[in-house]
Amino acid sequence: MGPAYTTAYRYYKDSDTTNKIGKTVFNTMLAGMNSTYSHNSIITDSAAAATALASGYKTDNGLIGLKKDHGQKIQTLLEIAKRNGYMTGLAATSTITHATPAAFIAKGGHPRNKEAEIAKDFFKTTPEGKLKFDLLIGGGEKYFAEAFKDFNQTAQEYGLTIYRNGYDLENIKGFPFMAFTSYDYPPFAIDETEENRYRVARMTERSLELLEGKPFFLMVEGSQIDWCGHINDIGCAMAEMDDFAKAVEIAKTYVDTHPDILLIVTADHSTGGLAIGDKVDKKDKSLSEAERAKTYTWYPEIVAKIKASSYAIAKALRESQDVNATFKAYTSITLNENEYRQITQAIVKKDKKVRVIVNEIINRRSHTGWSTQGHTAIDVQTFSYGKESRKFRGFMDNTDIAKKLFDILSE
Ligand SMILES: [Zn+2]
């Protein structure tokens, strides 16, 4: 969630017709910027970035925690919090064994894609033989099923209650618990029904209700902002941003009534090289003359009308009897002849992915730019609110965030 994401979101969210652009929650708590480079690359991946944020140490891309041969015994913020008497929790819209949540609990240089291996680390206990976590909410039960012979039995041994009600978290009572939102990977917000789109918000709200009155360390990740960036899907990214912004609003409101809480919001890196404005091909005959003449513009109103991810739109187009009508129903965009031909050819010849063409059309029409399908090295924003939030102002490295949090947790 680099700066282009929070900026694009501000324009996307500003639905009125005045020239004045409204604020988002991100405007109200900006503290500074942080660098995200990893031990072996200017461009980090999620594993190395999460390790930096969770432990204050840089590691190589692809690794959760430092390799054992680094010779350093690292501790994570979650572990120190637990040791100092805090309740601890992780919640994510990815699998709970995915890089970011995993780095707060797994150590020892696991390859990030070995999620079943990482699942075992969740059950490595404190010196007192207790679980390191009280609350886990996320997808990916399958990795725990893979990791343990009888996972229900394992859970029982640790006094752990398992919930499997998706994002319906109302009936959760007591700690410790794991709430699986899906067996495998959870879907995008934009592909959920209207009332189920706010998953990060719901996880945040319910976690705070359950932790009320206790000292706690809670890490919540809006995991799929990054995934939409990887596929260069702006509608998908803005729907995830909307969910995430709502979660931040909930957390911020909580801090207003709990002034001893510190809220930090940041990104592990940015993705896709999102640009608010893209080069317009002056020779592109598929655009009208008026369209070609406009260089300095971005159209959030086009993005706001997108109703599904490019995966879901491509699937609908492949199953459709009327490509024009289907595309319009999902995007409010009327295809020109060239665009229609591109899609129908891709469906028949399978020469290019339909999903890629869908994104190309939406990006071209909205003037959204992307430079890569991977991550980028741009600095990301640090947002802070509440107790000791001033300590996070200015420029930092991502490891500094962890170091400052270690100090605060040890006070
Ligand atoms: Zn990524």
Side-chain angles (χ1 to χ4, degrees), residues 46 112 226-227 230 269 271 374-375:
S46 295
R112 56 172 299 171
D226 167 69
W227 302 0
H230 278 290
H269 52 74
T271 304
H375 298 167

Side-chain angles (χ1 to χ4, degrees), residues 91-93 137 167 169 199-207 220:
T93 45
I137 309 172
Y167 290 103
L169 309 168
R199 310 100 83 227
V200 189
R202 195 175 285 174
M203 294 192 303
T204 304
E205 189 166 40
R206 188 66 184 135
S207 298
V220 182

Side-chain angles (χ1 to χ4, degrees), residues 1-16:
M1 190 188 70
Y5 284 75
T6 49
T7 311
Y9 178 66
R10 194 188 316 127
Y11 294 117
Y12 165 87
K13 206 54 192 166
D14 184 67
S15 50
D16 65 25

